Amino acid sequence: MEAPTPQSAAGHGPGSGGRQGGWFGRGHQAPAEPRRAAPPETPAPAQDRRAVPPEAPSDAVLLRRTMAEIEPIADRVTSYFYALLFLRHPGLRDLFPAAMDTQRDRLFNALLTAATHADDTATLTAYLTHLGRGHRKYGTLPEHYPAVGEALLGALARHAPQSWGPRTEAAWVGAYTTISQIMIDAAAADELRAPAWWQAEVVAHDLRTRDIAVVTVRPDGPYPFRAGQYTSLETPWWPRVWRHYSFASAPRSDGLLSFHVKAVPAGWVSTALVHRARPGDVIRLGPPAGSMTVDHTTGNGLLCLGGGTGIAPIKALVEDVARHGRRRSVDVFYGARGNHGLYDIDTMLRLQQTHPWLSVRPVVDDDSGGPLSGGLPQAVREAGPWHTHDAYLSGPPGMIRRGVDTLVGIGVPAHRIRHDSIEELVGATS
């Protein structure tokens, strides 16, 4: 929803410099008069004063005031939101995982994130369209949205007393109405062209290290996606618990899909995929998502930073460039905390031998002092310049943040830096 544009009082606000032409209106200057002693000032009649009434805050401002008030107590507000939702509508509990602690705040945070972009129609629509499509796999229906909105308003009204009032409530009602309608429309449109999820049989399970496996699956139907994208996976051992993983190859003629999965402590899905899944098991796939894809209309070189299992989509991007047949330079920095973490380096070096336009640099984040130690940011800075390249980053959230800071600092334009959403990546770590 695009919030109403505030009607600014002319000449007021930072940097306005006051009214042009003084208080005589429409730019006319007061006539000059001879200097003389000024008589004592007397108050102007009330009807002559030109007081400007205070400007009412926009809906966007009201929404952000609420957000600022609940931010210090976000966990408490989230818990109250779900308590209201399940108390008033117990049937909705089945749409959520049995253990809410793994992803209980995602829906609530998604709604708040959308509300903060209420005055940016393009960003809001793109974000919610993806969200609406993705929620189909949970079994979300249009009739569920009013219940969620009721719980949202109830939680905010209780925990944001300083900013809450009739106008603020109206702003949130308007924002949520727009949010829910965009998501409902996106889900309805997606239903006409794709299923809510795909069944996929595990056909290969390659344990590369004691905690990293390459899992290959065969979907039960056509699964269109682009190199660099990711999807969500659900295992039969943890129903309704979905985690995001990037595709480890460009689309293949045999339709198979591969994922690089690292088991992490307390990671339900990742541990199941690495240590429990075997050929013949059936998992579920959500729809593809993500915009970390190659623009094949340009000839810019590609600078790719992959950390840990983040090398998976980087490998897919390399295959995608090769398939299009354009000799674009591609520089890959493959980072890990030690040599043991470079589990796919042989594959990347074979690609380098096959494609003369590809350069692969393994980088270990240790203190050995060797030419490839010191971490990705240092290695990228030393190998530049990169200001004419399109940059792609994939890996742990911390690596992506540091990588973006490094690239911006050495002159890579921000619009040429692509990576998966940090928020989505957090969900892939369990």
Side-chain angles (χ1 to χ4, degrees), residues 356-374:
W357 40 261
L358 173 63
S359 171
V360 177
R361 298 176 177 88
V363 181
V364 292
D365 191 7
D366 60 20
D367 299 321
S368 65
L372 298 179
S373 65

Side-chain angles (χ1 to χ4, degrees), residues 1 110-111 114 123-134 175 178-180 182-184 186-187:
M1 177 184 71
L111 296 174
T123 300
L124 181 68
T125 301
Y127 175 74
L128 291 175
T129 297
H130 162 61
L131 206 61
R133 291 171 177 167
T178 299
I179 289 169
S180 57
I182 293 175
M183 293 177 66
I184 290 170

Side-chain angles (χ1 to χ4, degrees), residues 11-75:
H12 287 243
S16 65
R19 290 180 183 261
Q20 295 298 314
W23 288 96
F24 291 84
R26 305 211 177 205
H28 296 295
Q29 298 291 336
E33 293 184 358
R35 291 189 177 183
R36 57 177 180 264
E41 293 186 3
T42 56
Q47 64 269 24
D48 291 334
R49 296 175 186 169
R50 300 188 178 182
V52 178
E55 182 181 336
S58 67
D59 284 2
V61 169
L62 294 173
L63 297 178
R64 292 187 180 108
R65 286 178 181 172
T66 307
M67 293 287 291
E69 187 173 354
I70 67 171
E71 184 176 6
I73 53 172
D75 285 346

Side-chain angles (χ1 to χ4, degrees), residues 103-421:
Q103 57 185 34
R104 70 181 179 91
D105 58 344
R106 290 185 184 175
L107 172 60
F108 189 68
N109 283 346
L111 296 174
L112 298 183
T113 299
T116 61
H117 292 92
D119 54 350
D120 184 348
T121 303
T123 300
L124 181 68
T125 301
Y127 175 74
L128 291 175
T129 297
H130 162 61
L131 206 61
R133 291 171 177 167
H135 275 209
R136 289 183 60 212
K137 65 181 179 287
Y138 295 105
T140 305
L141 300 174
E143 54 264 32
H144 297 151
Y145 283 88
V148 173
E150 176 188 340
L152 173 67
L153 294 178
L156 296 177
R158 179 178 179 87
H159 290 92
Q162 300 301 317
S163 59
W164 202 255
R167 282 214 59 231
T168 300
E169 181 176 2
W172 277 97
V173 169
Y176 182 76
T177 300
T178 299
I179 289 169
S180 57
Q181 194 60 56
I182 293 175
M183 293 177 66
I184 290 170
D185 291 345
D190 193 58
E191 187 175 3
L192 299 177
R193 64 180 183 85
W197 63 78
W198 287 255
Q199 302 278 8
E201 179 185 357
V202 177
V203 297
H205 187 279
D206 179 13
L207 194 63
R208 296 290 184 85
T209 72
R210 66 180 183 180
D211 59 357
I212 296 178
V214 176
V215 182
T216 303
V217 303
R218 178 185 291 111
D220 60 356
Y223 189 96
F225 73 98
R226 295 180 63 188
Q229 289 190 305
Y230 60 90
T231 187
S232 50
L233 305 182
E234 180 203 47
T235 71
W237 304 286
W238 298 108
R240 299 185 300 280
V241 178
W242 296 78
R243 293 294 183 264
H244 298 97
Y245 295 97
S246 296
F247 300 103
S249 68
R252 297 166 47 167
S253 58
D254 59 11
L256 297 181
L257 310 173
S258 292
F259 306 94
H260 293 189
V261 183
K262 180 177 181 179
V264 297
W268 295 7
V269 175
S270 63
T271 300
L273 288 172
V274 172
H275 298 302
R276 191 167 183 175
R278 294 294 181 268
D281 290 333
V282 176
I283 65 173
R284 290 206 294 182
L285 308 174
S291 59
M292 199 184 77
T293 55
V294 176
D295 180 1
H296 292 289
T297 65
T298 77
N300 297 338
L302 273 63
L303 170 62
C304 302
L305 282 64
T309 54
I311 197 64
I314 300 302
K315 173 176 171 285
L317 294 178
V318 171
E319 294 179 358
D320 191 37
V321 172
R323 287 180 56 190
H324 279 75
R326 298 186 63 180
R327 297 177 63 87
R328 302 170 63 175
S329 65
V330 179
D331 290 84
V332 174
F333 289 81
Y334 181 6
R337 292 188 176 181
N339 289 325
H340 65 281
L342 300 174
Y343 68 92
D344 210 34
I345 187 61
D346 290 342
T347 302
M348 298 305 299
L349 292 178
R350 283 196 297 269
L351 288 172
Q352 179 180 246
Q353 292 175 352
T354 304
H355 306 297
W357 40 261
L358 173 63
S359 171
V360 177
R361 298 176 177 88
V363 181
V364 292
D365 191 7
D366 60 20
D367 299 321
S368 65
L372 298 179
S373 65
L376 284 177
Q378 178 181 330
V380 170
R381 279 193 297 266
E382 293 176 352
W386 306 107
H387 60 277
T388 61
H389 286 60
D390 294 335
Y392 297 81
L393 300 91
S394 180
M399 186 226 90
I400 291 181
R401 293 188 183 98
R402 293 191 301 272
V404 170
D405 290 343
T406 297
L407 294 175
V408 172
I410 61 178
V412 179
H415 69 275
R416 288 187 176 178
I417 302 175
R418 297 187 180 185
H419 57 82
D420 292 333
S421 164

